[in-house]
Amino acid sequence: MSMLRVEHSLGFAQLQDGGRFGVRHLGVTQGGALDWIAQHWANWLLGNPLDACVIEIPLGGLTLKAEADGWLALTGADLDAKLDQQPLRPWQVFAIRSGQQLTFTQPRSGVRAYLAAAGGFKANPVLGAVATVMREGLGGLHGDGKGLKPGNQLTYSAQPAVSRKMPSEAIPDYKSPVTLQLLVGAQSSQFSGDSLFQLFNQHWTLDQRADRMGMRLTGPALRYQGDALISEGIPLGAVQVPPDGQPIVLMNDRQTIGGYPRLGALTPASLARLAQCAPGQKIRLQPISQAQARQDHLALLARWEP
Amino acid sequence: MLRLFDVIDEANIPWLMAAAERLHTAFGAQLIDLVPSYTTLMLHYDGLQLSEAQASERVLQALKGLQPLAINDSGRRHELPVWYHPSVGPDLEALAQRAGCTVEQVVDRHCSRDYPVFTLGFTPGFGYMGLVDPSIAAPRLATPRQRVPQGSVGIAERQTAVYPLVSPGGWNLIGRCPLALFDRERDGYSLLKPGDRVRFVSVDHAEFLRLGGDDASMEPNP
């Protein structure tokens, strides 16, 4: 068994797996890694199940110390990670020796880093998942929804199933322009024609109010012309528009039901990309058909096939 | 998204519950989540195993000849004890004033009927119930409270609910329930399920404490 001890944490780094399912009718949210693509790659590098439990590290502010030798993989954002004093690039498997310190300080590219461990980090699932949801007090290392705290001990297997190399063409450039794909649907036909034109032809800016529950975009005010809605279930990635006309993309920790009109939902790959955007990021939206979205998604999943 | 009704009505519930049961059976392991609300069911199925056309066909087959569940089959009946008092229900007196009656009358009216649970949402185990007597209906607070204590009993328009966890909230708070509405250690987790019926029962301070209630008082204003 290998072990990491949390030396320093701002409380935002948290354990995440693929999310919590089959309990949304109880008002329990989905959770799970926001950038599920980076999470999948991190697990793939070590031969873990793709949705095995990883640490999601937003922005930095985390120091871990190895209490035994082990194998880890780092993907996602470049948070200026260092292994002892040596810079550690993301998108690779690396060995950590007992006594070595792993620190994440500040974002240089992207927002969320993912640290996977041989066999996945071990924690008891709550309602079927380890996914940490702070707002609900569910999941995480002790099941109570808390982020990682100094003194926490994280255990994982001593040996990885495999140790792979990242295909270089699959490493994303988080500094590239951001275009997100929207499956148009829900109440989109009840927005003004001008609003739908603006939606796809103007730049949007990611607001400060951007977290695991929802990411608010600012730009031209969109106008909904339909009747008030009765609250209904909200799918992952739904783009809802409250009365101020500024869309909110609903992420993994969204409320289970809601009553604001929606324009449709972003594709899973677009949500992963959005998870790596910092406030102030310029974003464009592009419509995509159901058939194309499905084909793209299947092609993406095929990359991790054995 | 399956839209079965256009308006909120208690009579929708046995139909929605019947449809949910059929869909659970029809989709089996390919069902990821099924989220009922007042008038709709959101079906989240495994899109890698089923095409949209296959899923639609399965829904149509499942809902053929649908009959509403008998009211006794659609859920359980719960009696929820509530300590109605201004120290834990900071909007109780204002609500009485608004209704033009005494605090006791507000309590009597709130306890006078069974409320069906229309749906769960907002936070784990938060059951949207109604409809309360029109005289004790009240709009949401203009500024929601940052922190509503666990167990708080609230009214918003003609809906009523108990807050299962500490959360922000804009409902008018009239009392506190000592029971755990959501418990990750309990089988089924949530005390309430859509289709259940709830009767509130007024208890005194001593009984509230005996049932494990936390009587920490609140500031009167948000």
Side-chain angles (χ1 to χ4, degrees), chain B residues 125-136:
Chain B
F126 186 101
Y128 289 85
M129 297 175 258
L131 299 169
V132 301
D133 186 286
S135 68
I136 59 168

Side-chain angles (χ1 to χ4, degrees), chain A residues 230, chain B residues 4-13 16 38-40 118:
Chain A
I230 296 170
Chain B
L4 278 72
F5 301 98
D6 292 325
V7 293
I8 296 177
D9 188 337
E10 188 180 336
N12 298 352
I13 300 174
L16 289 161
Y38 296 94
T39 57
T40 53
F118 285 100

Side-chain angles (χ1 to χ4, degrees), chain A residues 22 24 26 143 231-233 294, chain B residues 1 3 33 37 44 47 125 184:
Chain A
R24 239 183 293 162
L26 304 178
S231 285
E232 58 187 35
R294 185 182 159 84
Chain B
M1 185 73 71
R3 293 179 199 284
D33 262 303
S37 188
H44 179 187
R184 61 190 158 96

Side-chain angles (χ1 to χ4, degrees), chain A residues 20-30 126-128 135-139 142-144 186-187 230-236 254-257 262 290 294 297-298 301, chain B residues 1 3 6-8 32-40 42 44 47-52 119-126 128 165-166 182 184 188-190 192-194:
Chain A
R20 197 164 273 118
F21 296 97
V23 286
R24 239 183 293 162
H25 62 287
L26 304 178
V28 176
T29 194
Q30 175 175 341
V126 174
L127 277 67
R135 181 169 55 85
E136 295 183 340
L138 293 177
H142 298 302
D144 56 5
Q187 289 79 31
I230 296 170
S231 285
E232 58 187 35
I234 307 175
L236 179 62
R254 69 198 178 281
Q255 62 276 29
T256 54
I257 61 173
R262 302 187 307 272
Q290 190 89 37
R294 185 182 159 84
H297 189 62
L298 290 174
L301 295 182
Chain B
M1 185 73 71
R3 293 179 199 284
D6 292 325
V7 293
I8 296 177
I32 294 175
D33 262 303
L34 186 60
V35 191
S37 188
Y38 296 94
T39 57
T40 53
M42 186 177 75
H44 179 187
L48 299 178
Q49 290 190 51
L50 287 179
S51 72
E52 205 182 350
T119 187
L120 264 58
F122 179 58
T123 64
F126 186 101
Y128 289 85
L165 309 170
V166 174
F182 192 87
R184 61 190 158 96
Y189 315 117
S190 175
L192 306 179
K193 301 263 175 1

Side-chain angles (χ1 to χ4, degrees), chain A residues 12-241:
Chain A
F12 299 110
Q14 54 192 271
L15 295 180
Q16 287 295 344
D17 56 13
R20 197 164 273 118
F21 296 97
V23 286
R24 239 183 293 162
H25 62 287
L26 304 178
V28 176
T29 194
Q30 175 175 341
L34 285 196
D35 182 351
W36 63 278
I37 297 178
Q39 177 213 24
H40 275 32
W41 280 121
N43 281 318
W44 179 86
L45 287 170
L46 293 164
N48 295 340
L50 297 174
D51 59 358
C53 183
V54 299
I55 307 178
E56 179 172 285
I57 308 160
L59 301 172
L62 181 71
T63 304
L64 304 168
K65 188 170 188 178
E67 301 214 324
D69 295 355
W71 292 91
L72 303 170
L74 180 64
T75 63
D78 181 348
L79 300 183
D80 200 10
K82 291 192 174 67
L83 186 57
D84 284 342
Q85 295 311 311
Q86 294 304 310
L88 178 74
R89 282 181 304 103
W91 304 100
Q92 60 171 336
V93 175
F94 62 97
I96 189 165
R97 299 275 163 223
S98 183
Q100 279 191 308
Q101 234 181 25
L102 178 58
T103 57
F104 298 89
T105 47
Q106 58 187 336
R108 299 204 304 186
S109 162
V111 171
R112 292 175 170 85
Y114 290 86
L115 184 69
F121 289 105
K122 299 196 191 323
N124 290 327
V126 174
L127 277 67
V130 178
T132 305
V133 181
M134 296 185 186
R135 181 169 55 85
E136 295 183 340
L138 293 177
L141 188 59
H142 298 302
D144 56 5
K146 297 268 194 323
L148 295 180
K149 287 186 302 199
N152 282 170
Q153 289 181 316
L154 301 160
T155 56
Y156 59 101
S157 305
Q159 286 298 325
V162 296
S163 174
R164 294 187 168 117
K165 281 214 166 7
M166 190 68 199
S168 57
E169 78 285 358
I171 297 176
D173 174 9
Y174 298 134
K175 289 184 169 158
S176 64
V178 180
T179 301
L180 305 179
Q181 291 169 319
L182 176 72
L183 283 151
V184 180
Q187 289 79 31
S188 56
S189 62
Q190 293 168 70
F191 282 81
S192 71
D194 182 52
S195 291
L196 291 174
F197 181 85
Q198 306 259 30
L199 181 65
F200 296 117
N201 290 283
Q202 294 282 337
H203 278 294
W204 295 91
T205 305
L206 183 62
D207 192 63
Q208 291 290 340
R209 290 163 293 177
D211 58 25
R212 290 189 44 89
M213 205 170 164
M215 305 266 190
R216 185 180 286 261
L217 306 180
T218 57
L222 303 177
R223 211 150 43 83
Y224 171 70
Q225 299 171 316
D227 295 330
L229 296 181
I230 296 170
S231 285
E232 58 187 35
I234 307 175
L236 179 62
V239 181
Q240 71 172 20
V241 182

